[in-house]
Amino acid sequence: MSNRRTVSLVTLGCARNEVDSEELAARLEESGWGLTDNADDADVVVVNTCGFIEAAKKDSIDTLLAAHDSGAKVVAAGCMAERYGRELAEALPEADAVLGFDDYAAIGERLDDVLAGRRLTPHTPRDRRTLLPITPVERSASASAVAVPGHGAPADLPADLPADLPDGVAPASGPRVLRRRLGGGPVAPLKLASGCDRRCSFCAIPAFRGAYVSRPPADVLAEARWLAGHDVRELVLVSENSTSYGKDLGDLRALEKLLPELTAVDGVARVRVSYLQPAELRPGLIETICGTPGVAPYFDLSFQHAAAPVLRRMRRFGDPERFLELLDRIRALAPEAGVRSNFIVGFPGETDGDVEELLAFLSAARLDAAGVFGYSDEDGTEAATLDGKLPPEEIAARVEEVSAMAEELTAQRAEERIGTRVEVLLEDKTPDGAFEGRAAHQAPEVDGAVVVHGAAGASPGDIVTATVTGSDGVDLVADMS
């Protein structure tokens, strides 16, 4: 077989999938596959699918069909492929193979089979939570035997590495990690953990992602050094639930200890933590995020709703009073802290009063960004069996109402920042010579951006301090002069 066989990786969904794709890219390169950005030039197109909600699944199917039209062999991987396995293969004959997480370690061989026309038997999905012990601290002994995407450990040192080189000084040529960057830019996600032990009634993720597994701090730090050696200035820590980090390692304060070590990595200017559960957000972690130089005072809080009756049906904790107390605690330590959240409306049994309570909470919370989603049944979830389902047109109307208020309130929050000083990570130069970047309260892609004027002589990757002079929705305009 020609050594010039090529593969194109298409990544859908969240930043966690991006990390998984970059691990697959490293495995494929080590297997002799060449990587190409253009599906039309590839022998095989691997679509790393998303299987979270109905819209994401439709996007995954459409992408697989489009890849098939390119004439390349098409492979479905990722969450949707893991979740549905054989069922997806039968429903989508256009895919030449459907691969689950257990196939990732041998991904090069699997694609060799696909290219050679050898049929691969799709897996029958199983609840991946059953693969590891129920008790978190008992998992470390058996976790290495279970496929956990994005947890590639550092590989052996190259034989020609100087013996006197300090650990991690030259990540680009020193200790390797099982990752190959598929994009550029000064920002990259870094996976803390995979899986989830929570039992939210609307969510299917734990069943196909498995029980919660933390990456050892040494592995996270090694990958951070490697990313810094590849010009990454901001690390975005991702997982299904970052507040649980370390519980399976026997240390609930592991994240508080890890964050200062990450900020000390040479070349790293900013560390951002995402996916925080309000019910698990400890005072010590709040203090570490707000008070550690180099850590963005940023809180991605998974509220999901505010009305207590809806939250209980979701199998979640909290109410408006507790959530607002949490926000007060954060802002007492860091008044300009960024806060974002997501909300589900139209959940089974949600009343008009519940929606009014959510709207009142949004008004009081002063969030910087908010995502609003309409409820839809997900296969295998408890919520799909609940009574009190609302008509689709009512759900759509509630989404429109809550979204409109959220957009207005987050725009007002952006206006409140006019006149303040912000630290902006510059990412791209605009056609008129300004720079576009993000302040500490803005995560990549979801929270808006800042256009900085007067940054003559600056370069992408620099962090500059500028004064906010205007806003447009959640986006800001700032000036350095």
Side-chain angles (χ1 to χ4, degrees):
M1 185 178 294
S2 170
N3 288 330
R4 294 183 59 81
R5 63 201 196 284
T6 56
V7 57
S8 174
L9 278 162
V10 179
T11 306
L12 304 176
C14 64
R16 302 185 295 275
N17 257 16
E18 182 180 332
V19 177
D20 296 351
S21 284
E22 294 191 349
E23 180 182 302
L24 288 175
R27 291 184 184 277
L28 286 164
E29 274 198 331
E30 289 185 353
S31 299
W33 282 81
L35 298 168
T36 176
D37 294 332
N38 190 347
D40 293 334
D41 297 334
D43 297 312
V44 179
V45 177
V46 176
V47 180
N48 188 355
T49 60
C50 179
F52 181 38
I53 57 176
E54 199 60 39
K57 288 184 280 188
K58 182 182 184 303
D59 189 28
S60 294
I61 295 294
D62 291 345
T63 304
L64 287 162
L65 292 174
H68 172 75
D69 291 342
S70 73
K73 299 282 188 179
V74 179
V75 172
C79 291
M80 187 177 180
E82 173 61 39
R83 184 176 180 183
Y84 292 103
R86 184 183 301 276
E87 180 183 347
L88 178 61
E90 292 173 353
L92 194 71
E94 291 85 353
D96 295 279
V98 173
L99 302 182
F101 297 154
D102 293 333
D103 293 305
Y104 282 19
I107 186 68
E109 296 173 25
R110 298 292 183 270
L111 297 200
D112 287 341
D113 290 336
V114 169
L115 194 56
R118 292 187 285 270
R119 176 175 172 76
L120 296 175
T121 302
H123 66 282
T124 299
R126 53 183 171 170
D127 189 334
R128 295 190 72 85
R129 291 172 293 191
T130 64
L131 303 181
L132 290 169
I134 294 176
T135 305
V137 293
E138 295 178 358
R139 290 176 193 160
S140 58
S142 51
S144 60
V146 175
V148 184
H151 282 226
D156 293 337
L157 294 174
D160 58 351
L161 189 69
D164 59 350
L165 187 68
D167 182 30
V169 164
S173 60
R176 296 185 303 116
V177 300
L178 198 56
R179 183 167 179 176
R180 196 264 201 196
R181 291 206 77 192
L182 295 174
V187 184
L190 175 57
K191 187 172 278 192
L192 276 178
S194 287
C196 186
D197 290 339
R198 301 186 70 86
R199 293 296 181 265
C200 302
S201 63
F202 56 83
C203 185
I205 288 176
F208 60 83
R209 274 289 184 178
Y212 193 88
V213 179
S214 302
R215 295 184 68 193
D219 288 0
V220 178
L221 284 165
E223 190 163 322
R225 296 185 186 105
W226 182 86
L227 288 167
H230 287 76
D231 301 321
V232 171
R233 298 277 282 153
E234 179 177 319
L235 304 172
V236 182
L237 306 184
V238 299
S239 70
E240 276 75 23
N241 176 7
S242 297
T243 34
S244 280
Y245 180 73
K247 71 176 186 178
D248 52 320
L249 304 176
D251 186 0
L252 282 173
R253 297 188 65 249
L255 186 53
E256 288 98 306
K257 298 173 184 176
L258 179 62
L259 286 172
E261 295 185 79
L262 288 169
T263 63
V265 171
D266 189 27
V268 171
R270 189 155 73 193
V271 177
R272 183 183 306 276
V273 186
S274 59
Y275 306 107
L276 299 168
Q277 288 290 342
E280 298 181 28
L281 191 52
R282 303 171 298 280
L285 182 55
I286 296 173
E287 293 167 5
T288 300
I289 293 175
C290 291
T292 304
V295 175
Y298 174 82
F299 292 82
D300 176 11
L301 299 170
S302 177
F303 288 130
Q304 301 299 348
H305 210 281
V310 177
L311 288 166
R312 300 304 173 269
R313 285 193 292 273
M314 290 179 170
R315 296 202 179 277
R316 296 180 64 83
F317 302 95
D319 53 49
E321 292 72 27
R322 293 180 187 179
F323 290 164
L324 291 174
E325 287 174 3
L326 174 60
L327 294 176
D328 287 344
R329 194 179 311 133
I330 290 169
R331 288 167 176 153
L333 294 172
E336 299 303 320
V339 183
R340 83 167 330 271
S341 191
N342 293 320
F343 300 90
I344 299 172
V345 296
F347 194 79
E350 182 189 64
T351 66
D352 290 341
D354 294 329
V355 176
E356 290 302 317
E357 192 164 9
L358 173 57
L359 292 171
F361 169 73
L362 287 171
S363 182
R366 297 170 54 242
L367 302 177
D368 292 278
V372 181
F373 303 91
Y375 171 80
S376 63
D377 286 340
E378 283 298 316
D379 298 334
T381 63
E382 179 187 354
T385 69
L386 295 177
D387 57 13
K389 299 287 177 59
L390 299 174
E393 58 272 17
E394 177 61 26
I395 294 176
R398 293 184 181 189
V399 169
E400 183 176 359
E401 179 183 14
V402 177
S403 296
M405 175 167 274
E407 289 178 12
E408 180 181 346
L409 292 169
T410 53
Q412 290 176 8
R413 176 63 176 150
E415 288 179 9
E416 293 174 7
R417 294 187 182 275
I418 294 176
T420 65
R421 301 278 282 173
V422 290
E423 291 188 345
V424 183
L425 173 65
L426 304 180
E427 297 185 46
D428 299 295
K429 203 160 191 177
T430 65
D432 62 356
F435 280 91
E436 185 173 289
R438 289 174 301 100
H441 70 277
Q442 297 169 317
E445 300 181 2
V446 294
D447 294 340
V450 184
V451 173
V452 179
H453 296 279
S459 302
D462 290 346
I463 288 187
V464 300
T465 301
T467 301
V468 179
T469 58
S471 67
D472 181 7
V474 296
D475 297 324
L476 301 178
V477 178
D479 198 296
M480 289 185 62
S481 59

